[in-house]
Amino acid sequence: MTPMAAPPPPRPGLRDLLRTFVRWVRTLPPVIVWAGAAVAVAGVAAIAFAGYTAYDYTMNNPAFCRSCHIMEAAWTRWSTSEHRNVDCHACHEQSIVESARQVITFVVRRPERVGRHAEVPSERCAVCHESGDARWRQVAATAGHQVHAERQRIECVVCHSRSVHRIQPSTQICAECHQAQATGVRAVKIRQMAEFHCVDCHQFLRLDSPLRPTRQTCLQCHQSLPPKRTVGFPAGAAHTTLPCGTCHKPHEQARPIVACTTCHSPKPEIHAAVLAAQTPCTTCHQPHRWTVK
């Protein structure tokens, strides 16, 4: 019978290789060992530093975003905006996988415009603007935020970022939802208020207050006008306990003719001709005092 061949020796495993390496290192002079260890540590540190630098550059340095050939316009707007001191990824968060996909798309396909990416939810805005940090305008208790964000659940960017990196809402933004009040059938009827912007009366950033104009809102304008261009509002006089909007309805009428009759019942024997001619009540009654002139 032919004798069976001896099986091949087992291949050394990782543990065997490490033992062999350690035995070899022990045969080296100490100076060589320490020098090799120093080189190894320096190499690991260099690789770690390079990795961190690359990560920090791509994730925290706006210059990385600018390096894309189609980002110059967005960069210019950001650099002149209210958020110019805020890094891109502080607002635009996305996963590493999505970031890698976006980089590959830009490198391979070379698109000619910036597509939708890393959209900013209201929660990101709240990190700064509802944090209590005095460095940022706090909006949680403002009239406009409570109406639009809390009650209507409107995302911040719907009004505050209609175009890339333009955070300040445009003067036409209110009309996109409130067209009737801005230019339609309920537009302001008072000629002197025609040039007012919505937020002149509906003060968005007023704290702990309704968005509707308050008496103080109206007085801020009227008390600053010359006496010949406004009317007084004496304390203790008739109607001084009512909001101005009880009688004055700029979106409905130029003068508070109808408003008087909603509270006061005209006497036919006195007011018949006045009502027929739609004569303003203030023709006879002194405004804000209600005494007959």
Side-chain angles (χ1 to χ4, degrees):
M1 295 179 62
T2 304
M4 296 180 61
R11 300 180 61 181
L14 179 61
R15 183 176 298 180
D16 297 325
L17 293 176
L18 288 176
R19 288 175 179 172
T20 302
F21 176 76
V22 170
R23 285 196 297 269
W24 174 75
V25 169
R26 288 176 177 175
T27 63
L28 298 175
V31 175
I32 301 297
V33 174
W34 285 108
V39 170
V41 170
V44 171
I47 293 173
F49 178 77
Y52 172 78
T53 301
Y55 175 83
D56 183 66
Y57 174 71
T58 57
M59 299 302 293
N60 298 318
N61 193 332
F64 173 72
C65 299
R66 189 186 187 185
S67 64
C68 179
H69 69 288
I70 58 176
M71 288 295 291
E72 191 62 33
W75 166 276
T76 301
R77 287 191 174 188
W78 168 80
S79 64
T80 57
S81 74
E82 299 87 342
H83 289 170
R84 57 185 173 274
N85 294 322
V86 180
D87 293 341
C88 304
H89 288 89
C91 299
H92 300 281
E93 282 193 340
Q94 59 185 16
S95 66
I96 294 179
V97 173
E98 181 62 23
S99 297
R101 186 199 64 79
Q102 186 176 343
V103 170
I104 293 172
T105 298
F106 286 162
V107 171
V108 175
R109 297 184 180 179
R110 305 291 291 176
E112 294 302 323
R113 58 182 296 273
V114 181
R116 297 177 70 90
H117 67 283
E119 296 183 17
V120 182
S122 294
E123 291 76 13
R124 294 303 306 162
C125 305
V127 170
C128 293
H129 294 288
E130 295 184 34
S131 63
D133 190 337
R135 293 177 300 173
W136 306 101
R137 185 185 294 276
Q138 299 301 303
V139 300
T142 60
H145 184 272
Q146 290 181 350
V147 170
H148 293 83
E150 298 295 334
R151 299 178 195 169
Q152 300 297 328
R153 297 296 180 183
I154 299 174
E155 290 288 322
C156 302
V157 295
V158 171
C159 298
H160 289 279
S161 188
R162 300 295 290 181
S163 58
V164 176
H165 294 160
R166 281 292 175 258
I167 308 302
Q168 186 71 24
S170 69
T171 55
Q172 294 81 27
I173 191 65
C174 301
E176 295 196 12
C177 292
H178 305 283
Q179 185 175 7
Q181 290 84 351
T183 58
V185 295
R186 299 200 66 233
V188 171
K189 306 297 191 296
I190 300 176
R191 178 175 53 83
Q192 293 86 343
M193 297 177 65
E195 299 301 322
F196 284 14
H197 189 271
C198 305
V199 296
D200 289 334
C201 298
H202 302 276
Q203 295 178 352
F204 199 95
L205 295 176
R206 189 169 54 216
L207 295 174
D208 299 317
S209 174
L211 192 55
R212 290 179 177 273
T214 63
R215 183 193 308 172
Q216 188 58 37
T217 307
C218 302
L219 292 179
Q220 286 176 355
C221 286
H222 284 279
Q223 288 182 336
S224 64
L225 293 173
K228 291 184 178 180
R229 295 186 56 193
T230 187
V231 293
F233 201 74
H239 301 158
T240 55
T241 59
L242 300 175
C244 302
T246 303
C247 300
H248 301 276
K249 304 180 186 298
H251 287 283
E252 298 177 13
Q253 54 196 19
R255 294 182 178 182
I257 300 174
V258 180
C260 301
T261 61
T262 60
C263 295
H264 300 280
S265 299
K267 296 181 179 180
E269 66 275 15
I270 299 176
H271 298 104
V274 173
L275 292 174
Q278 289 193 335
T279 303
C281 302
T282 53
T283 302
C284 300
H285 297 275
Q286 190 173 4
H288 296 163
R289 289 175 174 82
W290 211 239
T291 56
V292 178
K293 296 179 181 179

